[in-house]
Amino acid sequence: RVWEEPILGARYLIGADSGEGVPGGDPSSAAVLKAVWEGDGGLRLIEVATLHGLIEPARYATALELAGRWYNRAWLCIERNGPGLLVVEYLANYPRMYRYETRGKRRRGRPTERLGWQTNWQSKTCLFLELASWITAGRLVLRDRDGVVEIQLLQLDGAKIVGDAARDDRAYGVA
């Protein structure tokens, strides 16, 4: 779904959670966010488009690449767990892909970079706590009502974020 077409010169990023694309499996979900710098120097993110459905990884990678190129060569931030690893590999040559350095692993004396972002219960907790702070501060404007519902269903249980695993894909895409 598209709420706003690209604006020349605007900056965008795309968060993506990948599914296997098979009946009964998790759907893939992506959110296109426009970055707007406010007068106070703060950053505001506005959801301008979403993609959600049972899409196999190769087709999902193609859709993400097309969306990224359409939205002014948007930065792609793809979860690399499970089927996301295939999506990341298909998009390895995309010019603006989020990368992270692995701790302790070095190649020729330099840190090893990995494409996409790796999640575990600790990083997911940090991710969703940060998401909540952006929403509370009014720095993230969400337009996808289904995504808002998924985010509202997430809860903090001790040090972990928990929710309905069957309904958290849009939350991961926007986070």
Side-chain angles (χ1 to χ4, degrees):
R1 181 166 183 189
V2 174
W3 288 277
E4 182 180 303
E5 292 187 4
I7 298 169
L8 188 63
R11 294 194 179 172
Y12 298 91
L13 62 94
I14 300 173
D17 181 42
S18 305
E20 295 174 354
V22 297
D26 282 345
S28 295
S29 191
V32 181
L33 304 172
K34 179 172 68 174
V36 178
W37 281 263
E38 302 284 303
D40 63 2
L43 177 64
R44 187 173 197 207
L45 298 173
I46 302 168
E47 188 174 47
V48 296
T50 57
L51 173 64
H52 183 82
L54 292 176
I55 310 165
E56 65 88 18
R59 287 186 51 227
Y60 187 51
T62 300
L64 290 173
E65 182 174 13
L66 291 172
R69 292 191 186 282
W70 191 43
Y71 279 97
N72 303 340
R73 293 180 56 210
W75 278 94
L76 296 181
C77 305
I78 302 168
E79 182 185 22
R80 63 178 284 123
N81 296 39
L85 187 56
L86 286 171
V87 175
V88 165
E89 291 300 321
Y90 284 125
L91 292 166
N93 293 321
Y94 183 81
R96 293 184 174 171
M97 178 82 83
Y98 174 81
R99 298 167 175 2
Y100 73 98
E101 291 181 2
T102 58
R103 295 180 187 211
K105 295 183 181 179
R106 295 187 166 269
R107 190 177 293 158
R108 295 187 181 140
R110 297 193 340 232
T112 303
E113 278 191 342
R114 302 273 180 166
L115 294 173
W117 50 279
Q118 186 78 33
T119 58
N120 56 42
W121 70 267
Q122 293 164 318
S123 63
K124 288 178 182 181
T125 299
C126 291
L127 185 71
F128 285 117
L129 290 175
E130 187 68 17
L131 175 66
S133 74
W134 275 70
I135 293 170
T136 301
R139 296 284 185 185
L140 177 60
V141 177
L142 299 174
R143 293 176 166 160
D144 182 356
R145 290 184 181 168
D146 292 327
V148 170
V149 169
E150 286 185 16
I151 291 167
Q152 289 172 336
L153 292 174
L154 296 173
Q155 297 177 6
L156 186 60
D157 180 16
K160 291 185 179 181
I161 294 289
V162 295
D164 181 356
R167 293 193 50 170
D168 63 2
D169 308 289
R170 288 181 177 95
Y172 281 107
V174 78

